[in-house]
Amino acid sequence: MLLGINRCKLASPKATIRFTTVEGQRYNGSRADLTFSCRPKLLMSHSLAIYPGSFDPITNGHLDLIKRGSLLFDTLIVAILTNLEKEPLFTVSERVDMLREAVGGMPNVSVDTFSGLLVEYAERKKAQAILRGIRAFSDYEYELQMALMNRKLAPELETVFLMPAETYTYLSSRLVKEIIRHGGSVEGLVPEPVEDRLRKKVFPHQF
Ligand code: PNS
């Protein structure tokens, strides 16, 4: 019985698992074939999640989600997509620096970059979950579409949605950039070093 699993060991990043039930029966097969009752158990063995995004730049909303994710998973990798369709304001290395600075005190959080398909990157990292934030209903349609497409590509990979603190439900990197370009204040919306970098980037002649 799957509910009676007493040892559940991931055998490979490719969705194969081996475990022994409390009754002593052995299972060696596909993770996708298992019922959902086993999956929380799998997540508990050593959970690794990927939090992907453009992070152009990181906001306090992202940071809030990273903190929540770091409490939920043993390891959290914040992964910056390098081949963005739109032209980013910050280079990849600037975004990596800002993220590393922001997550500095969190021992189980690391920062990385990826290109190509997210599910392939997740598989290389042996991740069990993708972490994404949902701020409002408006996010839901896009996030659902992405999560279901990722599930189609990699059925064993779960997408986990978390809500940021209410204070950040209206916050986005796009709006932060717009405010800065029009001379407004983004105090409290992004980490302080990010605010400085934003001003220097948008108004280089003033520094
Ligand atoms: O911060 P964003 O722009 O909302 O992040 C979007 C991101 C990076 C998560 C998404 O565009 C992505 O995963 N891109 C990688 C390419 C990929 O796997 N595309 C198929 C997604 S269904």
Side-chain angles (χ1 to χ4, degrees):
M1 289 293 298
L2 295 179
L3 285 171
I5 293 163
N6 64 352
R7 189 165 62 86
C8 205
K9 187 176 171 224
L10 290 177
S12 85
K14 190 75 192 161
T16 309
I17 67 155
R18 282 195 299 270
F19 63 77
T20 317
T21 68
V22 282
E23 295 87 9
Q25 286 174 314
R26 299 231 165 122
Y27 178 87
N28 191 351
S30 157
R31 208 162 12 143
D33 290 343
L34 292 175
T35 65
F36 283 94
S37 57
C38 184
R39 292 191 179 190
K41 209 82 177 170
L42 288 174
L43 281 172
M44 274 185 259
S45 55
H46 178 95
S47 55
L48 192 158
I50 310 275
Y51 178 32
S54 353
F55 303 105
D56 184 42
I58 179 178
T59 68
N60 284 344
H62 293 130
L63 202 51
D64 178 279
L65 215 78
I66 292 169
K67 284 179 190 158
R68 289 171 200 278
S70 74
L71 297 174
L72 206 57
F73 298 100
D74 295 319
T75 303
L76 182 67
I77 301 175
V78 183
I80 304 170
L81 178 68
T82 56
N83 55 329
L84 288 179
E85 274 172 27
K86 54 204 172 204
E87 184 69 30
L89 179 63
F90 290 100
T91 64
V92 173
S93 80
E94 286 169 332
R95 283 180 277 150
V96 168
D97 286 349
M98 285 186 278
L99 266 163
R100 291 224 166 107
E101 217 167 23
V103 305
M106 299 180 216
N108 62 336
V109 179
S110 61
V111 177
D112 195 12
T113 60
F114 78 104
S115 59
L117 279 182
L118 174 61
V119 292
E120 288 178 1
Y121 171 74
E123 187 178 309
R124 285 198 298 280
K125 290 288 163 187
K126 303 180 173 53
Q128 296 102 337
I130 299 297
L131 175 65
R132 290 288 289 173
I134 291 201
R135 294 162 297 187
F137 267 132
S138 46
D139 284 339
Y140 181 73
E141 208 173 318
Y142 168 63
E143 293 298 335
L144 180 74
Q145 190 183 17
M146 201 156 60
L148 292 179
M149 185 57 82
N150 282 334
R151 178 177 285 167
K152 170 92 182 125
L153 297 171
E156 71 284 359
L157 190 67
E158 291 294 350
T159 298
V160 175
F161 293 116
L162 291 180
M163 289 170 293
E166 265 171 59
T167 344
Y168 304 126
T169 45
Y170 56 89
L171 179 55
S172 72
S173 300
R174 185 181 62 79
L175 284 181
V176 160
K177 286 182 279 193
E178 204 170 307
I179 292 165
I180 286 285
R181 281 187 184 117
H182 291 93
S185 166
V186 291
E187 197 186 332
L189 302 181
V190 294
E192 246 178 68
V194 174
E195 186 171 357
D196 292 343
R197 279 178 186 258
L198 271 163
R199 290 198 193 291
K200 285 181 184 148
K201 192 67 146 178
V202 176
F203 302 110
H205 303 304
Q206 291 182 7
F207 294 90

